[in-house]
Amino acid sequence: MSLRLTTVATTRSLSGIFRNNGVIASKRFSSNRRPVVIRHRGKATDATSNANAKSSSPAESTAAPATKTAVESSSSSDGVPLGKTVVAMTLAIATVSTAANIAENATASTVPKFDPKSQRFDQSTFMGRLSKMLLACDPTLLFKSGAEVQRCKDLVEDWTNQMNNLPEGMTETEMSRKLWEAQRVAGAALHPDTGDTIPLPFRMSGYVPFNGPICVAMVASQSTSALLFWSWVNQSQNALVNYYNRNASSEMTNETLMKSYAAAVGSALTVAFGLATFIQKRYSPEQAKNLMRWVSFPSAVVASSLNCYIVRSPEIDTGIPLVDRDGDEILPGET
């Protein structure tokens, strides 16, 4: 009986020791365990990190692409929409060209007798002034070659002979229309005072195709840097238009030209930057993006007004020649 009790006690004691040692060993192994590193083609990957990555929620995994898409769409919206700009430019050119063609054909049978010192349209009426500007801004005049422009100029200079010796079958009205058209072609490409050829981008007939896209780019600009850049381009183009279409009878110095350019560009950039900064600080990003398209208008108005005033300031100081109906100057040196 005593031998059995001793055996049972010894067995229980040994099993307790083994159990305790197993727990201790298990804890020791658990505390000393290192992350398992899997190597594949020279790249080490932490299995624990992979497990944590796999356990991330689906919302977190889809957040990054959504954020990237939003950033990309925001950055692309800050640029100039080239497609819309091209469409707007094409529609504008087609509209002005069509309107000019309609105005020319509608008055073909009622044109007045040609006189190079007179006007084809009655300038005392609104429709007469509108028709004159439509024909002057007709973009199709840009496609006239230099040889054709010179031929039209020679035809206008020989207008007296042309009117007195009408070709057989041609009426005076038809010849007058031909001479008015020749004067329009020559006047669109040549300066009326100097006879110099005006570069294409700075002609009145080139205003829609060359300045139109610049205006669209200014309105479409939704960032300060883009707005400042296109405002500078716009005022540079306007300054050159004013210069090449100036009244050459009043001398313009390089100092006046640079002063005009600096004032126009400086005022445009100042107004644009000031309004853009105010809008971005005052309103939320979404509201600011919608309001930025209106900044270009006041900046262009202020700059263009200063530009025109300074370029034409010599005419204000010294006046322009006064001539009679025959083109002879009256009071030379006094006006």
Side-chain angles (χ1 to χ4, degrees):
M1 183 70 178
S2 61
L3 180 58
R4 181 184 298 176
L5 292 174
T6 303
T7 303
V8 171
T10 302
T11 303
R12 288 180 178 178
S13 176
L14 290 174
S15 67
I17 292 173
F18 290 143
R19 190 185 305 115
N20 292 336
N21 288 339
V23 171
I24 294 172
S26 176
K27 289 182 178 180
R28 184 179 301 169
F29 174 77
S30 177
S31 63
N32 294 334
R33 185 177 60 181
R34 296 180 180 179
V36 178
V37 178
I38 303 174
R39 295 189 177 275
H40 178 67
R41 292 185 180 179
K43 296 182 179 180
T45 304
D46 191 341
T48 306
S49 301
N50 289 340
N52 293 335
K54 291 180 179 179
S55 62
S56 61
S57 63
E60 293 177 355
S61 62
T62 58
T67 304
K68 183 178 180 181
T69 303
V71 171
E72 289 177 351
S73 62
S74 175
S75 61
S76 62
S77 64
D78 290 340
V80 177
L82 296 179
K84 294 181 180 179
T85 302
V86 172
V87 171
M89 179 183 67
T90 304
L91 291 176
I93 293 174
T95 301
V96 176
S97 300
T98 303
N101 186 57
I102 293 174
E104 202 283 323
N105 288 305
T107 59
S109 60
T110 59
V111 294
K113 184 178 179 179
F114 180 77
D115 184 350
K117 299 176 182 179
S118 183
Q119 297 285 342
R120 173 174 176 173
F121 302 99
D122 184 4
Q123 296 302 288
S124 63
T125 64
F126 171 77
M127 289 305 300
R129 295 189 294 270
L130 176 62
S131 298
K132 177 185 177 180
M133 291 306 301
L134 284 175
L135 266 65
C137 295
D138 184 5
T140 59
L141 294 173
L142 296 174
F143 297 100
K144 305 297 182 180
S145 64
E148 187 172 359
V149 170
Q150 186 61 44
R151 183 186 62 81
C152 290
K153 178 184 177 183
D154 296 339
L155 185 64
V156 172
E157 291 176 349
D158 191 42
W159 72 277
T160 304
N161 181 46
Q162 297 291 329
M163 292 295 296
N164 293 334
N165 301 280
L166 296 175
E168 185 178 354
M170 178 177 285
T171 64
E172 184 180 84
T173 300
E174 293 173 343
M175 175 56 73
S176 293
R177 180 191 181 189
K178 181 179 180 180
L179 290 171
W180 284 120
E181 275 299 288
Q183 186 184 54
R184 181 168 78 102
V185 173
L190 305 175
H191 194 281
D193 296 331
T194 64
D196 296 335
T197 301
I198 302 174
L200 293 178
F202 313 126
R203 300 177 186 179
M204 291 305 298
S205 55
Y207 199 77
V208 172
F210 287 101
N211 190 259
I214 297 175
C215 294
V216 173
M218 282 198 305
V219 174
S221 298
Q222 297 180 348
S223 65
T224 304
S225 57
L227 179 62
L228 295 179
F229 172 76
W230 288 112
S231 296
W232 168 71
V233 173
N234 180 55
Q235 293 309 316
S236 299
Q237 204 253 0
N238 286 340
L240 291 172
V241 168
N242 287 335
Y243 173 75
Y244 280 106
N245 294 275
R246 71 195 186 282
N247 186 347
S249 60
S250 298
E251 293 294 332
M252 178 183 296
T253 62
N254 292 333
E255 180 183 359
T256 301
L257 181 62
M258 293 306 299
K259 187 186 298 183
S260 167
Y261 179 73
V265 173
S267 60
L269 297 185
T270 300
V271 174
F273 180 78
L275 289 177
T277 302
F278 171 78
I279 289 174
Q280 290 176 347
K281 288 184 177 181
R282 178 67 175 80
Y283 299 95
S284 65
E286 189 64 28
Q287 291 176 322
K289 183 179 294 186
N290 294 329
L291 291 173
M292 283 291 289
R293 69 188 62 183
W294 303 105
V295 174
S296 58
F297 177 73
S299 63
V301 168
V302 173
S304 297
S305 300
L306 283 175
N307 195 341
C308 182
Y309 171 77
I310 297 177
V311 167
R312 295 300 179 94
S313 59
E315 301 173 17
I316 300 175
D317 297 334
T318 62
I320 60 175
L322 180 64
V323 298
D324 58 19
R325 63 187 307 171
D326 296 325
D328 297 326
E329 187 175 349
I330 303 174
L331 300 176
E334 298 185 19
T335 60

